[in-house]
Amino acid sequence: MLCKINKFVIIAATAFVAVASQAQTFKLPKAHNAEHQGLIAKQENIGNQISVQETKAFVDNLFKEEEEPELDIYTEGWESKRVNAYVGMDVPDTKVIDVSGFAMPTPGYVTSPYGYRPRFRRVHKGIDLKLQTGDTVRAAFDGRVRLTNFERKGYGYYVILRHPNGLETVYGHLSKFLVKPDQYVKAGEPIALGGNTGRSFGSHLHFETRYMGYPINPAAIFDFANQTVHTDEYTFDKRTYTQPRNFDPDANKEYARQYLAANPAKAAPAKSGSKGSKSKTYIVKRGDSLSRIASRNGTTVRQLCKLNGLSTKAKLKPGTKIRVR
């Protein structure tokens, strides 16, 4: 019996070897084999396909193009000729605003604060900063020029910039524009020259910071006495946007003293008609009006009338000399 079992095992093993031997001779189909060989042949060293320098140049160019903010922030109210271009739009109750990328619009000290003015029965929606006519005014943040305009009874010549951080800044009583509408500017770049145009009684910069039309107290963002911002972020709040932060009148007085000591030529000039003031005359040309002469010479119609004993409705005769200072 054992002999028969051994014989059966030997026969089975022989059959398995024969089958295995036969399986080893199987070949892949010619079409599949040719495709496989073709794929192998097409494989290349990846180093030959990627250039580090070309990739770096591409990425650098990509970021260079992205330095300028997306255009979607320049849509809402962009064509508006109003200072508040967001009339009727929904404004969030609070908003965190990045103000770290700032520049001081002018190094002057505060000559008139933000807030209600009983004398004029109106709210002063910005801060007045000391400068002389012709001094450079700079962009407070990166942004695009939304509007350059003239308002005889208000801002005089003024510029409005819209910024990627959500703010708009207003620069008033200017004497000359250095930018045009839709022009993109960086923080600290010159945008205008200071002046005394519009409703103004002396050379200064009227500076406003607005969020969707809401006139924020600039002293809530800027520490003018120390020429910096209070913090890198400012949180707009509908309940508190009119309030300053860390406002210290004594600090501003000390900065004003230091500023005038370092810039004696920019001390407040003597009033018109007093000793030491330099008079200046203008020869009236055909088509001139008091408002045109005032805007050209960095003064106001009221001041012209006061200097020359004229009424606001006076007719000017060509060739006549009038005082503008």
Side-chain angles (χ1 to χ4, degrees):
M1 181 67 179
L2 180 62
C3 182
K4 288 183 178 180
I5 291 174
N6 290 337
K7 184 181 293 185
F8 175 78
V9 171
I10 292 171
I11 293 171
T14 303
F16 175 79
V17 172
V19 171
S21 175
Q22 189 176 10
Q24 290 176 353
T25 62
F26 288 168
K27 295 182 179 180
L28 293 171
K30 291 183 178 180
H32 184 85
N33 188 55
E35 182 179 355
H36 181 67
Q37 293 298 326
L39 287 171
I40 293 175
K42 288 181 179 180
Q43 290 181 359
E44 298 180 10
N45 187 338
I46 194 169
N48 295 334
Q49 297 178 1
I50 299 177
S51 168
V52 174
Q53 290 185 345
E54 289 178 358
T55 303
K56 183 177 183 300
F58 171 79
V59 172
D60 288 345
N61 186 61
L62 178 65
F63 286 129
K64 183 178 181 181
E65 291 178 355
E66 290 183 352
E67 282 182 359
E68 189 170 328
E70 296 293 335
L71 294 179
D72 58 2
I73 69 166
Y74 306 116
T75 55
E76 292 184 324
W78 187 253
E79 300 300 327
S80 174
K81 299 302 179 183
R82 296 181 176 183
V83 174
N84 179 5
Y86 297 91
V87 175
M89 296 184 186
D90 291 333
V91 180
D93 291 334
T94 61
K95 172 69 175 179
V96 177
I97 300 171
D98 181 358
V99 294
S100 59
F102 76 97
M104 301 304 292
T106 182
Y109 56 90
V110 176
T111 60
S112 183
Y114 174 103
Y116 183 72
R117 290 180 167 180
R119 177 184 174 188
F120 300 106
R121 296 182 180 179
R122 63 183 176 86
V123 175
H124 187 223
K125 297 179 180 179
I127 272 181
D128 292 344
L129 299 171
K130 176 65 179 176
L131 55 62
Q132 295 288 76
T133 297
D135 284 355
T136 301
V137 176
R138 301 180 184 277
F141 305 99
D142 293 355
R144 192 181 294 280
V145 180
R146 178 168 72 81
L147 185 64
T148 59
N149 206 357
F150 176 74
E151 187 180 275
R152 184 171 65 87
K153 295 182 178 181
Y155 292 98
Y157 289 105
Y158 67 98
V159 172
I160 299 179
L161 301 182
R162 182 172 292 185
H163 309 286
N165 61 9
L167 293 177
E168 282 197 338
T169 49
V170 184
Y171 311 77
H173 306 310
L174 309 170
S175 61
K176 184 178 181 180
F177 300 135
L178 300 180
V179 291
K180 297 178 180 180
D182 293 321
Q183 182 176 337
Y184 183 74
V185 295
K186 288 284 192 179
E189 288 186 354
I191 59 171
L193 299 182
N196 184 29
T197 59
R199 190 182 179 87
S200 173
F201 301 97
S203 298
H204 68 279
L205 174 68
H206 175 81
F207 177 61
E208 294 182 10
T209 49
R210 290 175 174 255
Y211 174 68
M212 295 193 71
Y214 278 70
I216 299 167
N217 187 337
I221 298 173
F222 290 90
D223 179 356
F224 293 99
N226 293 295
Q227 295 289 283
T228 186
V229 289
H230 292 296
T231 53
D232 286 345
E233 290 184 340
Y234 164 73
T235 301
F236 166 80
D237 190 314
K238 285 182 177 178
R239 300 167 300 175
T240 61
Y241 71 92
T242 62
Q243 300 172 10
R245 281 199 290 178
N246 303 326
F247 182 66
D248 182 359
D250 291 336
N252 185 63
K253 288 180 181 178
E254 175 59 21
Y255 177 66
R257 186 191 65 77
Q258 294 175 7
Y259 176 85
L260 293 175
N263 303 277
K266 293 185 179 181
K271 293 183 178 180
S272 299
S274 63
K275 293 181 179 180
S277 64
K278 294 182 179 179
S279 63
K280 179 181 177 182
T281 59
Y282 174 83
I283 299 177
V284 178
K285 299 179 177 62
R286 187 179 299 277
D288 273 343
S289 63
L290 286 172
S291 60
R292 180 178 295 181
I293 295 171
S295 65
R296 286 179 176 176
N297 291 275
T299 186
T300 64
V301 171
R302 181 179 296 182
Q303 186 68 9
L304 289 179
C305 292
K306 183 178 178 181
L307 288 172
N308 297 278
L310 300 171
S311 72
T312 56
K313 297 181 180 179
K315 293 184 179 180
L316 302 177
K317 184 178 179 180
T320 303
K321 284 185 179 182
I322 64 171
R323 285 185 61 190
V324 295
R325 184 185 300 169

